[in-house]
Amino acid sequence: QVHVVESGGGLVQTGDSLRLSCAASGLTFSYYVMSWFRQAPGKEREFVAAISWSAGRTDYADSVQGRFTISRDNAKNTVYLQMNSLKTEDTAVYYCAARKFDIHYNPRAYDYWGQGTQVTVSS
């Protein structure tokens, strides 16, 4: 059985940094593209960042490019999202997701999801 668990969310102020972690089990982690999505109240879930199985390719939403960094440690079955220069508009529940093959921006393309972790950025 596959389990995906996010952690590291919290309440921070604008300009602060936060690092999210996502640990996956029950799958061959190194075979999977890992991505972060987020969902704010009343809005659809949106793509944030993704990393290929080998970490050779990363991709970011325009809104976080240059501020967020995605990375992975295949030995620990964990993917990270380093978030710097946080803005109030980054407030959302952040989800980690896994899929095989290539990076995809549509959340429906992902097979496994975590329960989400809340990130709240106050001004």
Side-chain angles (χ1 to χ4, degrees):
Q1 189 173 1
V2 176
H3 291 282
V4 179
V5 180
E6 304 94 337
S7 61
L11 173 63
V12 296
Q13 294 186 326
T14 54
D16 284 350
S17 297
L18 207 56
R19 188 176 84 153
L20 306 182
S21 298
C22 168
S25 61
L27 50 74
T28 306
F29 185 76
S30 59
Y31 287 1
Y32 284 78
V33 167
M34 299 299 296
S35 296
W36 289 94
F37 289 81
R38 67 187 181 187
Q39 188 166 18
K43 294 188 177 181
E44 293 187 351
R45 193 166 298 190
E46 65 174 1
F47 171 80
V48 175
I51 188 165
S52 64
W53 62 272
S54 67
R57 177 190 168 191
T58 57
D59 207 349
Y60 298 92
D62 289 344
S63 59
V64 307
Q65 179 77 46
R67 299 188 298 122
F68 291 9
T69 303
I70 189 170
S71 61
R72 66 189 295 159
D73 185 339
N74 286 347
K76 296 182 177 179
N77 284 14
T78 301
V79 62
Y80 305 96
L81 185 68
Q82 177 67 42
M83 305 186 295
N84 297 331
S85 303
L86 282 161
K87 304 176 181 180
T88 55
E89 51 262 46
D90 294 319
T91 295
V93 177
Y94 283 71
Y95 297 91
C96 178
R99 73 183 301 271
K100 284 189 174 179
F101 310 119
D102 54 345
I103 289 174
H104 207 294
Y105 306 120
N106 189 333
R108 294 185 179 86
Y110 286 76
D111 302 307
Y112 303 109
W113 289 86
Q115 81 291 346
T117 185
Q118 176 71 48
V119 172
T120 303
V121 184
S122 66
S123 58

